[in-house]
C-alpha cells in the first residue's frame, strides 16, 4: 500500500515508518518539523539495492487546507495519524488547543532511536489535527485510518482520581479523564465515531497505546510504586508499530466503522507477581468475572486487538 504517516519524526512514528518500509509499503511522511537526522540516515540505507520508498513533507497539520493539499496529490490508500502532544504539558491548555509556541523554555521533547530531538516552536493541537486528518481522508476517499489514542482515556497516570471499576481493563471500561491530554484523546475517538457515521465506507482504528519503549527492561523501576498509576503498562515499540500497520493494511472483513483497541504488553513492567501488586496498591478494585491476574499478567485485556486485528504483542528475541 501507499500509506501516509503523520508525526513521522516522533519515537512511535519513526518505528512505524521503518516497519512499513520493511513490509514493502510506500510511505509519505508528514510532520511539522524537518525530517530528523536519525530518520533521514536510516531511510538512506538501501534495501535490495534500492533507496527507501519514502517521501517527506513538512506541513502544519493544524491547517486543514494544508493537510488536504499535502495528501491530495499523493493518492495514499491509508493514513497512520500520530501527530500529537504526548503529555498534558502545562495541565491547562497546551495539549488541547495550542498550535504554535514561541517560548523555547516550554517545548516537547521526542525521541527517535534514543536520540533526543527538541521541538522548540511547535505544539500539535491533538483535537484539531485528528479532525483535520479524518476529514481530509473522507474528502479524498481514503478509507483506512489508524489514529493514536492512549491508555490515558481512562483515569490513569496523569489523572488525580483513579476510579478503576475492574481489572483487567478492556475497551468497555468507562473513560473519565480529568486532564487535557486524556480528554483530547477521548475527543479524537468521538470524532472518529462521527466521521464513520457520515462516511460509512471508512474504517478508523483508535489505538490506545501504552508507554512505547524499546524493551520491557526500559520500563522497569526498582520501586514498583513509581509505576502504579499507569498499572505498570508498556508496549514494545516495534510491536506497537505493527498494530498500526495491521489496522491500516491488515486483513479486511473482521471489523468496520470505528473501533477502539488497547495496545499494551500482556505482562507488567514489574518483577513482582501481579496479584501482589493488585493487593498492595489496588485491592479495592474487583476482578472482572472469568479473569485472573496470575503470574505477571498485565492489567489490560488486549484480546480485542488480537481477535479483530490479529495483533499479538512481541518482545525482542521472542
Amino acid at each position: 500500500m501507499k500509506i501516509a504517516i503523520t508525526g513521522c519524526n516522533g519515537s512511535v512514528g519513526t518505528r512505524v515508518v521503518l516497519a512499513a518500509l520493511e513490509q514493502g509499503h510506500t510511505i509519505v511522511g508528514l510532520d511539522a518539523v524537518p525530517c530528523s537526522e536519525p530518520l533521514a540516515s536510516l531511510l538512506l540505507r538501501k534495501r535490495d539495492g534500492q533507496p527507501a520508498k519514502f517521501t517527506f513533507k513538512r506541513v502544519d497539520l493544524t491547517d486543514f487546507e494544508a493537510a488536504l493539499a499535502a495528501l491530495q496529490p499523493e493518492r495514499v490508500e491509508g493514513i497512520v495519524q500520530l501527530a500529537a502532544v504526548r503529555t498534558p504539558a502545562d495541565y491547562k491548555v497546551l495539549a488541547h488547543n495550542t498550535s504554535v509556541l514561541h517560548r523555547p523554555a516550554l517545548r516537547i521533547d521526542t525521541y527517535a532511536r534514543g536520540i533526543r530531538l527538541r521541538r522548540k516552536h511547535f505544539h500539535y493541537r491533538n483535537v484539531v489535527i485528528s479532525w483535520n486528518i479524518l476529514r481530509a481522508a473522507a474528502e479524498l476517499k481514503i478509507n483506512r485510518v489508524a489514529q493514536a489514542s492512549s491508555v490515558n482515556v481512562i483515569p490513569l497516570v496523569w489523572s488525580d482520581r483513579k476510579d478503576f471499576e475492574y481489572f483487567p481493563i478492556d475497551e468497555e471500561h468507562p473513560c473519565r479523564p480529568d486532564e487535557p491530554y486524556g480528554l483530547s484523546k477521548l475527543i479524537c475517538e468521538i470524532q472518529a465515531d462521527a466521521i464513520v457515521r457520515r462516511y460509512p465506507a471508512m474504517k478508523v482504528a483508535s489505538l490506545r497505546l501504552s508507554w512505547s519503549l524499546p524493551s520491557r527492561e526500559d520500563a522497569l523501576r526498582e520501586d514498583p510504586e513509581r509505576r502504579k498509576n499507569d498499572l505498570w503498562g508498556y508496549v514494545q515499540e516495534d510491536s506497537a508499530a505493527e498494530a498500526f500497520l495491521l489496522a491500516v493494511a491488515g486483513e479486511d472483513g473482521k471489523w468496520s466503522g470505528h473501533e477502539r483497541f488497547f495496545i499494551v504488553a500482556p505482562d507488567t513492567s514489574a518483577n513482582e507477581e501481579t496479584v501482589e501488586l493488585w493487593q498492595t496498591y489496588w485491592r479495592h478494585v474487583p476482578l472482572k468475572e472469568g479473569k485472573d491476574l496470575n503470574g505477571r499478567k498485565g492489567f489490560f485485556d488486549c484480546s480485542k486487538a488480537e481477535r479483530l486485528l490479529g495483533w499479538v504483542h512481541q518482545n525482542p528475541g521472542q
Side-chain angles (χ1 to χ4, degrees):
M1 290 179 64
K2 190 174 186 181
I3 302 172
I5 299 176
T6 68
C8 63
N9 283 328
S11 58
V12 177
T14 301
R15 305 315 301 177
V16 178
V17 169
L18 295 175
L21 291 172
E22 184 65 26
Q23 293 181 20
H25 300 296
T26 299
I27 304 303
V28 179
L30 306 177
D31 211 312
V33 295
C35 191
S36 66
E37 183 178 341
L39 181 58
S41 63
L42 286 166
L43 295 172
L44 286 174
R45 297 178 185 175
K46 292 186 177 181
R47 183 186 180 199
D48 300 327
Q50 298 297 320
K53 295 184 289 185
F54 176 83
T55 302
F56 175 77
K57 291 186 174 183
R58 187 176 181 182
V59 56
D60 177 8
L61 296 174
T62 65
D63 181 336
F64 173 73
E65 295 300 333
L68 189 66
L71 288 167
Q72 190 164 16
E74 297 297 338
R75 300 185 181 276
V76 300
E77 302 162 87
I79 302 175
V80 174
Q81 155 47 21
L82 298 168
V85 178
R86 294 182 58 182
T87 73
D90 63 348
Y91 284 85
K92 297 175 184 176
V93 299
L94 290 180
H96 194 267
N97 63 2
T98 301
S99 59
V100 180
L101 179 65
H102 296 289
R103 291 172 293 166
L106 294 174
R107 60 180 175 257
I108 294 175
D109 294 338
T110 59
Y111 296 80
R113 295 183 65 84
I115 299 175
R116 190 177 187 183
L117 308 170
R118 293 183 175 179
R119 297 182 174 184
K120 295 183 178 180
H121 302 298
F122 290 90
H123 277 280
Y124 295 122
R125 294 171 69 172
N126 294 0
V127 173
V128 172
I129 288 179
S130 174
W131 178 252
N132 285 351
I133 293 300
L134 290 170
R135 197 64 183 80
E139 288 286 321
L140 300 173
K141 295 181 172 55
I142 303 168
N143 289 332
R144 300 291 291 267
V145 180
Q147 65 174 358
S149 184
S150 170
V151 292
N152 289 284
V153 294
I154 62 170
L156 212 61
V157 61
W158 289 305
S159 294
D160 281 340
R161 181 180 177 183
K162 310 294 192 297
D163 53 350
F164 305 123
E165 292 197 357
Y166 56 81
F167 293 142
I169 291 171
D170 56 23
E171 290 80 5
E172 301 303 316
H173 194 284
C175 297
R176 306 186 188 101
D178 65 5
E179 45 77 27
Y181 175 75
L183 174 62
S184 74
K185 289 300 185 180
L186 183 57
I187 294 172
C188 291
E189 293 186 3
I190 295 170
Q191 290 177 160
D193 288 333
I195 207 78
V196 299
R197 278 195 293 268
R198 192 171 186 89
Y199 299 92
M202 289 184 66
K203 293 177 63 172
V204 182
S206 292
L207 304 189
R208 295 175 172 179
L209 228 60
S210 187
W211 193 13
S212 177
L213 294 165
S215 70
R216 177 179 180 271
E217 287 66 34
D218 293 300
L220 283 169
R221 297 294 181 268
E222 290 185 9
D223 181 1
E225 187 167 2
R226 290 180 60 190
R227 295 289 316 281
K228 71 182 180 67
N229 287 337
D230 63 357
L231 300 176
W232 305 274
Y234 77 100
V235 61
Q236 199 281 327
E237 58 186 10
D238 296 307
S239 199
E242 176 67 10
F244 283 98
L245 295 176
L246 286 169
V248 169
E251 182 182 350
D252 215 343
K254 289 190 175 182
W255 61 283
S256 61
H258 173 223
E259 293 287 355
R260 299 154 169 85
F261 301 96
F262 277 109
I263 303 298
V264 190
D267 58 345
T268 67
S269 60
N271 290 324
E272 292 76 9
E273 295 285 305
T274 304
V275 170
E276 179 184 343
L277 297 172
W278 172 41
Q279 291 298 313
T280 302
Y281 300 103
W282 304 110
R283 67 176 64 192
H284 64 283
V285 180
L287 283 183
K288 197 167 187 179
E289 185 177 355
K291 300 292 183 177
D292 65 74
L293 295 174
N294 295 336
R296 293 198 175 93
K297 191 176 290 185
F299 286 84
F300 292 88
D301 180 355
C302 296
S303 58
K304 180 180 178 181
E306 180 175 1
R307 186 175 71 254
L308 297 185
L309 298 180
W311 181 73
V312 177
H313 187 268
Q314 298 290 332
N315 277 313
Q318 288 184 343

